[in-house]
Amino acid sequence: METLFYLRFHDFYVVLEEMFKKMTRIKLFALIALFCSGISFAQQGGGMWIPTELNEAEMKQMGMRISAQDIFNPNAPSIKDAIAHFGGGCTSEVISAQGLLLTNHHCGYSQIQSHSSVENDYLKNGFWAMNASEELPNKGLTATFIIDIKDVTDKILQGVTDDMDEEKRQEFVKSNIEIVSKNAVKEAHQDLFIRAFYKGNKYYQFITETFRDVRLVGAPPGGIGNFGMDTDNWSWPRHVGDFALFRIYADKNNKPAEYSPDNVPYTPKHFLPISIKGIEEGDFTFVFGFPGTTDEYLPATALEQVLATTNPNRIGIRDVALRILDSKMRQDNATRIKYASKYARISNAHKKWTGESLGLTKSNAVGLRKDYENEFTKRINANPEWKAEYGNLLKDFQELYNANDSYLIAEIYFDEAIYRNSETFRVALLMQNLLKAKNTPEFDGLKERYRNHLRGLYKDYDAALDQEVSLALIDLYKKNVPAQFLPENAININASTFRNSVLTGAQKINGVSILEDTDKAFENNEALVEALESDPLVQEIGLILKAYEEKVSPKYTAIQNQLAQLQRTYMKAQLEVFPDRKFFPDANSTLRVTYGKVDGYKPEDKPRYDAQTYLDGAVAKHIPGDYEFDMPEKLIELEKNKDYGIYGEGKRKKAKMPVNFIASNHTTGGNSGSPALDRDGNLIGLNFDRVWEGTMSDLHYDPTICRNIMVDARYILFIIDKFAGAGYLLEEMKIVK
Ligand code: ARG
Ligand code: GLU
């Protein structure tokens, strides 16, 4: 209780102190009045809102000068017509009348990589198409626009009753979705999906248009687009030009089409003007994009589990893998290149979870959630109907989460130690899957899929390195998975298992090493099956898989389903019990708007950081030859001469080149590449990250430390124009000065 008080008091004090410095007396009185009126969750801020249901009044009060209709209008061009889901995972936006598309460098990474070779290393040196014919097509890459959003809850929940059992409910929902989908009005080239919101208390229908010819136009060198790499990832201050340019192509009727040399640049209904007027602390900003997943309405007991079980176990497993990878990558250049992107993937989530736990602790998320639950309980106790319906919810949660704990640990270890972070174990799991399909019609298709997958995997595989990682992970597995979930016989995986396996290339299939000639190793079905069935690694991993499938997965899944039902009821309860609070639905990869203000922040034990960084700060971090912090010579030169074109800030002698900035927009994974817009709907930034402790905003948003990080639009234009000499691209953009 004491620490709880201290933390809250401490935070409050820090916030107050900062405000005090900036505020006029009147504002301060208003603030004190606000506090005295008893703010709690209502003023918490944050939120990822459905664009058809915006709180226009609040946005305007914060400084917005356009209307909600300007942001989303299904019947006339609006800003949403410039926003596209990029490859299903990131966000992108159209910035010219010729379908020019802006997103993050890290979102286009695999496309940039796939066009790269030793002679033309676009990841390292950058790429700029100097005319349309040089733009590079990308097989499989899509850009999806949202045409319309409709609340179809009544139709989807038709016939569903509160006392219905879960299976029956799901049947109704499923068949209603089919009926509504079939009857929906849309054009032939459009698609439609229906998705659950508010944990299944609401359903929305989306009509979409997906373009399939999306070409690479430009990307800065890694020393700009990925400057600071893993060391700077999830942190502030930041100095990275994390952007890339693509272009959408359409058929001659401006409709989606597969790639064809006859396709023409897409004419959008709307594209974003780019403002170079600059930003100031306190400016209104909103971010428009496709946030992936959040879990903002968990009970306190679930947050405790994240802090005590989920994050420490995942972090602990990845610690071990990362430490081994790092030491080998430092010793050998070829290993470093091979494992750079794998390392980045493993460390990205590892670093995020660490920051998330830090933020949850620092902001006393569990304590605040308990206060909230006390208020919830007080309110339902005062209403007999609510009490009857919701009186057991929190207790049921507690029991289920407790029951879940050991299954969760086993689940995490299987996922992280066997499936995700050992390449050889993952191959063994895939091969188990293939063997299960033996003598079925699926076998050949599956074999083909895995063969393609393995060809890519083995290209960058270091058998000795992965063996070391895998053996360390299996040690953790044996030590930390509760005994009742392990295979009956002791797990017997050691160096000789690897030496005797075909999966590491040490033994041959069909006369060849799977590493050197995956195609030939997979050629003959009989030889392949025979080699896999007698392989010691495939067998051992098979036993682990069997134990997991029998002893962990069914129960774990059953509890997850029960939890999902409870969460649906809890969400319904919160909507009823707190009519004074505005709830946003958890992110689910659908189009959302979040808004906030340009605002610095104060990390633990550090002075407050400004909201904006500049190019001189990037140059100060420059380490020649370093693989994370090496900067292109030309950029250093531009900074030295203050040669910023029209993009710098301030007068000639004092001029500075803005690079990144932060604001209190509530974002998550999937918001990468999202535009940050100003009060007039002009693009001012490109979202790419969050500050470290602020990553807890997936579970708990705290306005004092949650910040999203953006590339300043001026820096993007500066790099295109002054650095890359691709100024012709600027001619098709609309620059607001
Ligand atoms: N943290 C950002 C995100 O979650 C950027 C990741 C890419 N960059 C990296 N250094 N791994 O996607
Ligand atoms: N980098 C993340 C992405 O790829 C966005 C950062 C975040 O999670 O906020 O979507």
Side-chain angles (χ1 to χ4, degrees):
M1 196 61 209
E2 246 163 37
T3 47
L4 189 152
F5 174 77
Y6 172 74
L7 271 173
R8 292 170 78 185
F9 178 75
H10 179 75
D11 276 356
F12 177 73
Y13 178 76
V14 168
V15 175
L16 206 64
E17 192 183 50
E18 271 145 27
M19 289 181 160
F20 204 90
K21 282 188 214 141
K22 280 194 276 173
M23 277 188 162
T24 64
R25 241 214 178 92
I26 296 170
K27 278 193 194 151
L28 190 67
F29 277 128
L31 182 84
I32 289 166
L34 192 69
F35 267 87
C36 296
S37 73
I39 62 149
S40 51
F41 41 83
Q43 269 74 31
Q44 198 174 269
M48 301 166 174
W49 308 97
I50 302 174
T52 47
E53 297 174 12
L54 296 178
N55 186 343
E56 188 184 55
E58 184 177 79
M59 294 172 86
K60 285 191 163 160
Q61 188 211 328
M62 286 171 71
M64 186 172 78
R65 294 200 291 207
I66 54 175
S67 70
Q69 284 266 309
D70 294 328
I71 296 176
F72 193 101
N73 187 344
N75 305 313
S78 57
I79 294 174
K80 65 104 170 135
D81 294 311
I83 316 297
H85 211 177
F86 184 82
C90 280
T91 304
S92 57
E93 51 276 359
V94 184
I95 53 169
S96 88
Q98 284 102 59
L100 193 61
L101 199 63
L102 177 66
T103 189
N104 288 143
H105 185 271
H106 80 260
C107 293
Y109 197 86
S110 66
Q111 283 80 27
I112 303 168
Q113 182 172 42
S114 76
H115 295 297
S116 294
S117 60
V118 182
E119 306 81 60
N120 289 312
D121 189 347
Y122 300 142
L123 280 177
K124 182 156 186 287
N125 305 319
F127 166 79
W128 302 96
M130 284 302 164
N131 55 57
S133 73
E134 288 181 11
E135 297 178 357
L136 301 170
N138 301 287
K139 205 159 182 268
L141 181 61
T142 55
T144 300
F145 294 93
I146 305 300
I147 305 303
D148 202 2
I149 304 176
K150 219 163 92 189
D151 182 345
V152 290
T153 310
D154 291 347
K155 288 182 187 157
I156 301 302
L157 293 183
Q158 194 164 46
V160 170
T161 59
D162 279 346
D163 47 16
M164 196 173 253
D165 76 49
E166 190 60 19
E167 223 167 289
K168 196 103 210 118
R169 181 188 171 106
Q170 295 311 337
E171 259 170 48
F172 265 92
V173 167
K174 193 164 162 250
S175 98
N176 286 341
I177 286 181
E178 273 164 27
I179 295 166
V180 174
S181 306
K182 213 169 64 207
N183 295 338
V185 184
K186 64 170 186 68
E187 291 176 42
H189 68 278
Q190 296 176 330
D191 299 303
L192 172 146
F193 64 87
I194 290 168
R195 199 158 292 171
F197 284 67
Y198 295 101
K199 311 275 182 208
N201 286 289
K202 280 191 154 204
Y203 285 84
Y204 286 78
Q205 168 189 298
F206 295 79
I207 299 199
T208 63
E209 254 173 43
T210 296
F211 289 81
R212 302 195 147 73
D213 185 353
V214 182
R215 303 184 195 170
L216 178 63
V217 173
I224 294 173
N226 199 4
F227 183 71
M229 287 170 83
D230 300 309
T231 300
D232 268 11
N233 194 22
W234 300 118
S235 73
W236 184 255
R238 200 64 165 278
H239 301 87
V240 52
D242 192 348
F243 79 94
L245 292 168
F246 287 79
R247 192 187 301 281
I248 300 178
Y249 280 78
D251 68 15
K252 55 183 186 312
N253 301 317
N254 206 34
K255 292 280 181 301
E258 294 301 327
Y259 168 80
S260 157
D262 300 333
N263 286 347
V264 294
Y266 170 62
T267 307
K269 289 180 217 139
H270 178 78
F271 66 91
L272 302 182
I274 303 177
S275 167
I276 58 168
K277 287 196 281 197
I279 48 156
E280 269 176 50
E281 294 234 0
D283 280 358
F284 171 79
T285 143
F286 69 103
V287 170
F288 206 176
F290 294 85
T293 354
T294 61
D295 232 329
E296 311 280 354
Y297 304 105
L298 292 174
T301 169
L303 293 183
E304 284 172 326
Q305 190 165 65
V306 169
L307 281 170
T309 305
T310 315
N311 283 357
N313 280 298
R314 282 163 156 183
I315 291 165
I317 298 167
R318 291 199 179 195
D319 270 340
V320 169
L322 287 170
R323 211 173 311 122
I324 297 170
L325 288 174
D326 182 68
S327 79
K328 297 282 164 181
M329 285 165 72
R330 279 179 198 283
Q331 283 164 28
D332 176 47
N333 231 2
T335 313
R336 184 180 58 67
I337 294 167
K338 271 190 187 171
Y339 277 79
S341 106
K342 294 176 212 174
Y343 186 93
R345 178 188 62 79
I346 300 172
S347 89
N348 190 41
H350 172 268
K351 197 168 178 184
K352 189 206 146 179
W353 295 325
T354 314
E356 181 176 88
S357 286
L358 207 74
L360 288 173
T361 308
K362 182 185 167 189
S363 64
N364 184 31
V366 172
L368 292 173
R369 203 59 60 97
K370 283 186 175 158
D371 293 347
Y372 175 68
E373 285 168 11
N374 288 339
E375 178 64 24
F376 174 80
T377 307
K378 211 170 85 193
R379 291 192 191 193
I380 60 167
N381 281 345
N383 177 327
E385 225 169 89
W386 283 346
K387 193 168 177 202
E389 197 178 349
Y390 307 130
N392 289 329
L393 265 177
L394 293 171
K395 189 171 79 31
D396 290 349
F397 267 128
Q398 185 84 48
E399 278 168 17
L400 266 180
Y401 277 107
N402 283 345
N404 189 38
D405 209 61
S406 61
Y407 293 97
L408 176 63
I409 294 174
E411 177 71 27
I412 289 170
Y413 272 86
F414 185 78
D415 190 41
E416 288 284 328
I418 308 295
Y419 181 69
R420 280 181 201 274
N421 297 307
S422 155
E423 299 178 277
T424 317
F425 293 163
R426 186 164 61 245
V427 174
L429 283 173
L430 298 181
M431 292 306 103
Q432 275 293 340
N433 222 20
L434 185 63
L435 288 178
K436 272 188 203 155
K438 191 175 75 167
N439 302 328
T440 73
E442 280 80 52
F443 186 87
D444 281 325
L446 211 55
K447 182 181 101 162
E448 196 49 31
R449 232 178 63 207
Y450 291 157
R451 194 176 57 125
N452 288 334
H453 178 75
L454 293 193
R455 225 192 273 123
L457 184 140
Y458 282 128
K459 191 161 71 66
D460 290 328
Y461 172 81
D462 179 326
L465 172 54
D466 191 60
Q467 177 179 324
E468 197 174 325
V469 172
S470 303
L471 290 178
L473 293 180
I474 207 70
D475 271 349
L476 282 184
Y477 198 85
K478 290 197 276 196
K479 205 166 84 200
N480 294 334
V481 174
Q484 73 265 31
F485 302 130
L486 291 171
E488 245 106 85
N489 298 323
I491 296 172
N492 186 18
I493 297 180
N494 51 44
S496 90
T497 327
F498 278 75
R499 258 198 317 277
N500 291 320
S501 173
V502 296
L503 303 185
T504 60
Q507 303 295 325
K508 300 195 159 147
I509 310 181
N510 204 12
V512 296
S513 145
I514 195 172
L515 259 68
E516 273 143 26
D517 196 343
T518 316
D519 286 350
K520 179 116 197 282
F522 268 58
E523 209 174 58
N524 181 308
N525 284 2
E526 252 168 61
L528 177 64
V529 166
E530 198 187 292
L532 292 176
E533 279 182 337
S534 57
D535 192 89
L537 248 174
V538 178
Q539 284 173 0
E540 282 294 328
I541 292 297
L543 295 175
I544 293 175
L545 174 65
K546 184 163 175 280
Y548 166 77
E549 282 180 342
E550 282 170 6
K551 304 176 190 184
V552 181
S553 160
K555 184 75 199 234
Y556 179 77
T557 311
I559 296 178
Q560 290 311 305
N561 289 341
Q562 278 173 285
L563 280 172
Q565 279 176 55
L566 269 192
Q567 256 139 12
R568 187 177 67 224
T569 311
Y570 186 40
M571 191 75 245
K572 174 169 172 274
Q574 293 177 76
L575 290 164
E576 283 169 29
V577 171
F578 294 105
D580 42 342
R581 175 179 174 181
K582 213 170 163 330
F583 290 88
F584 64 94
D586 268 317
N588 58 358
S589 293
T590 60
L591 186 61
R592 303 292 178 90
V593 171
T594 170
Y595 47 93
K597 291 191 167 185
V598 176
D599 196 2
Y601 100 116
K602 194 196 163 312
E604 188 96 305
D605 304 329
K606 296 221 176 81
R608 184 177 192 276
Y609 286 124
D610 288 341
Q612 178 98 60
T613 61
Y614 296 93
L615 192 53
D616 57 355
V619 173
K621 285 182 180 174
H622 168 59
I623 306 172
D626 186 74
Y627 95 102
E628 296 195 299
F629 290 96
D630 195 9
M631 243 167 119
E633 257 333 295
K634 186 170 177 191
L635 187 59
I636 299 170
E637 203 56 28
L638 288 168
E639 167 59 26
K640 205 162 87 199
N641 300 328
K642 290 185 180 290
D643 188 1
Y644 306 143
I646 57 169
Y647 313 108
E649 188 174 87
K651 289 267 160 12
R652 173 74 189 129
K653 265 203 191 129
K654 285 194 181 152
K656 275 171 154 298
M657 186 63 230
V659 176
N660 293 157
F661 70 102
I662 53 176
S664 55
N665 298 299
H666 188 177
T667 55
T668 188
N671 271 124
S672 273
S674 299
L677 301 122
D678 69 3
R679 58 190 182 175
D680 299 316
N682 299 318
L683 184 109
I684 49 170
L686 178 65
N687 186 74
F688 69 96
D689 213 357
R690 277 174 289 170
V691 305
W692 199 32
E693 312 94 305
T695 56
M696 65 154 172
S697 64
D698 289 351
L699 306 171
H700 170 76
Y701 183 88
D702 180 331
T704 63
I705 49 177
C706 292
R707 297 288 178 275
N708 70 313
I709 312 183
M710 295 149 282
V711 190
D712 196 299
R714 292 169 289 179
Y715 190 55
I716 295 173
L717 299 182
F718 163 77
I719 294 295
I720 296 173
D721 187 358
K722 301 296 294 184
F723 176 83
Y728 76 95
L729 286 169
L730 282 119
E731 281 160 29
E732 57 182 285
M733 301 177 196
K734 186 170 161 197
I735 313 288
V736 181
K737 293 179 187 157

